[in-house]
Amino acid sequence: MRRSVMLSCGSYLPEKFLTNNDLAKLVDTTDEWITQRTGIRKRHMAGEGEKTSDMATRAAEKALKAAGLNGSDIDAIFLATTTPDQTFPATAVTVQDNIGMGDRGFAFDIQAVCSGFIYALSTADNFIKSGQINRALVIGAEHFTRLLDWDDRTTCVLFGDGAGAVVLEASDAGKGDKTDRGILTTHLHSEGAKRDLLYVDGGPSSTRSVGHVRMNGKEVFRNAVTRMSEAIVEAMEASGVSPADVNWLVPHQANRRIIDATAEKLNLSPEKVVVTVQDHGNTSAASIPLALATAVEDGRIRRGDLILMEAMGGGLTWGAALARW
Ligand code: ACO
């Protein structure tokens, strides 16, 4: 059975970071409040001239190097971002140029906010499974701090910048069951009726501006635990996998309490959960590949491990993916 094998991953974080105490100098907040309510201790922030495409390119180059490949080996780029360099062209085509793909293949952006990486992974997987492409770069990259209202303490303490990338390659080596290496299943959902729970109050066709993040935190929290748990169960059932089979949960890193509540609801032991929110904050579409790269680089995730990824974001959008690394 043709599957998309995850060959490698790479990540990039800007040099500059802000601690909770740094934020306490900007808005009426405290390290104690942020740590207790979210688990976040610091978040990275892109430099003045540093664009989403720059961060995406750095992460992609690391992933390519780890796979022993060049840009010219890639057939397509699927870049999940909410914070493109420009309204158009897609940030993905800048990355295509930066990594030396020339006019090979194609590249486009995917917009599903914090669920963007799961959406991009699922899209790439389907292109590979259908036989249209053999190798893909799936990237999540965000310059999210550019969307923040630095006078709004309820949102500006939560988010950060960064990028992560994964190289996928077609393989026919598997038996067609849950023991196969590669992506076993992906599940995507959205509910547009809840788009006002989390949104940006600007855009080309409404205000002709970029806008700022607005959020109903309590409702988003409630929906996040419910929807991500549902998507996880759906992915496990579709693959005949039980919580005991899962080696690592690599969740979207929005809030430590959301991560803990989701894992507890599904009886996944805390030792199996990759948590990076304390160091990265919520990096939206970049958060899962950043967490994945962290756990691969520090040796926690090993070849053959079964990893479960899940996310929820503005839209509302949510989804899950199950893969054997
Ligand atoms: N510092 C200090 N006090 C604050 C801050 C802050 N940064 N932000 C809010 N407060 C205050 C509020 O004003 C409120 O004060 P009041 O009681 O005097 O009115 C009090 O703290 C409690 O506010 P709540 O909003 O009730 O706090 P809550 O416990 O719900 O926590 C939080 C807020 C952390 C935003 C939580 O709702 C949450 O995590 N929601 C999920 C949001 C999220 O993760 N969004 C990311 C995008 S979606 C996703 O990625 C899944």
Side-chain angles (χ1 to χ4, degrees):
M1 183 179 169
R2 191 171 163 95
R3 293 223 192 254
S4 313
V5 167
M6 300 170 92
L7 287 185
S8 63
C9 56
S11 65
Y12 172 77
L13 287 163
E15 240 170 71
K16 183 181 169 184
F17 62 85
L18 291 177
T19 63
N20 293 345
N21 284 327
D22 292 332
L23 285 175
K25 292 176 196 145
L26 299 174
V27 286
D28 182 15
T29 192
T30 59
D31 174 42
E32 193 190 4
W33 192 95
I34 302 171
T35 307
Q36 276 182 4
R37 303 281 175 132
T38 72
I40 300 168
R41 293 186 178 275
K42 66 175 174 129
R43 70 288 291 145
H44 290 254
M45 196 174 173
E48 197 37 49
E50 198 168 29
K51 298 190 294 295
T52 297
S53 61
D54 298 322
M55 295 187 275
T57 301
R58 299 283 287 275
E61 285 170 345
K62 278 199 199 164
L64 285 171
K65 191 170 176 212
L69 297 172
N70 296 312
S72 55
D73 298 313
I74 298 296
D75 302 322
I77 298 175
F78 303 85
L79 194 158
T81 188
T82 311
T83 47
D85 292 1
Q86 293 153 272
T87 303
F88 82 82
T91 302
V93 298
T94 303
V95 177
Q96 179 191 29
D97 187 32
N98 289 351
I99 65 168
M101 275 173 71
D103 64 355
R104 183 184 162 86
F106 60 89
F108 62 87
D109 289 0
I110 289 178
Q111 159 61 295
V113 206
C114 298
S115 311
F117 183 75
I118 300 287
Y119 272 60
L121 195 69
S122 179
T123 308
D125 179 41
N126 279 296
F127 268 94
I128 286 176
K129 282 196 299 204
S130 73
Q132 288 190 62
I133 59 170
N134 286 316
R135 285 203 197 99
L137 257 173
V138 182
I139 307 171
E142 298 281 16
H143 195 156
F144 215 89
T145 55
R146 281 290 167 89
L147 295 179
L148 300 177
D149 174 353
W150 292 98
D151 292 324
D152 177 9
R153 68 177 182 173
T154 67
T155 52
C156 77
V157 302
L158 301 176
F159 297 92
D161 301 332
V166 167
V167 177
L168 297 183
E169 183 179 69
S171 166
D172 294 311
K175 292 188 284 186
D177 61 24
K178 66 181 180 183
T179 65
D180 288 358
R181 207 181 139 196
I183 297 175
L184 301 180
T185 189
T186 64
H187 301 268
L188 306 182
H189 296 277
S190 64
E191 187 182 12
K194 291 192 176 157
R195 64 192 180 280
D196 289 344
L197 293 183
L198 176 58
Y199 65 99
V200 163
D201 60 4
S205 82
S206 54
T207 61
R208 303 184 193 200
S209 65
V210 173
H212 292 120
V213 174
R214 305 295 173 207
M215 180 177 75
N216 177 336
K218 275 200 194 312
E219 276 303 303
V220 169
F221 191 111
R222 202 177 56 75
N223 277 275
V225 177
T226 308
R227 293 309 199 178
M228 289 194 285
S229 304
E230 284 171 9
I232 288 175
V233 169
E234 196 182 3
M236 289 197 295
E237 284 180 359
S239 322
V241 159
S242 72
D245 297 324
V246 175
N247 296 103
W248 297 103
L249 176 66
V250 187
H252 169 48
Q253 310 284 323
N255 180 317
R256 178 76 205 223
R257 290 189 298 146
I258 295 178
I259 295 171
D260 290 347
T262 309
E264 196 184 312
K265 201 166 171 188
L266 296 159
N267 274 326
L268 287 164
S269 90
E271 302 84 61
K272 289 181 166 186
V273 185
V274 177
V275 184
T276 53
V277 71
Q278 69 282 359
D279 298 323
H280 302 162
N282 181 347
T283 56
S284 186
S287 92
I288 291 177
L290 269 168
L292 183 68
T294 301
V296 168
E297 277 161 26
D298 69 21
R300 270 179 291 172
I301 295 181
R302 294 158 187 240
R303 279 284 163 230
D305 280 356
L306 192 60
I307 55 176
L308 188 49
M309 296 164 273
E310 42 86 341
M312 195 206 78
L316 297 177
T317 57
W318 66 98
L322 191 60
R324 194 168 294 285
W325 180 249

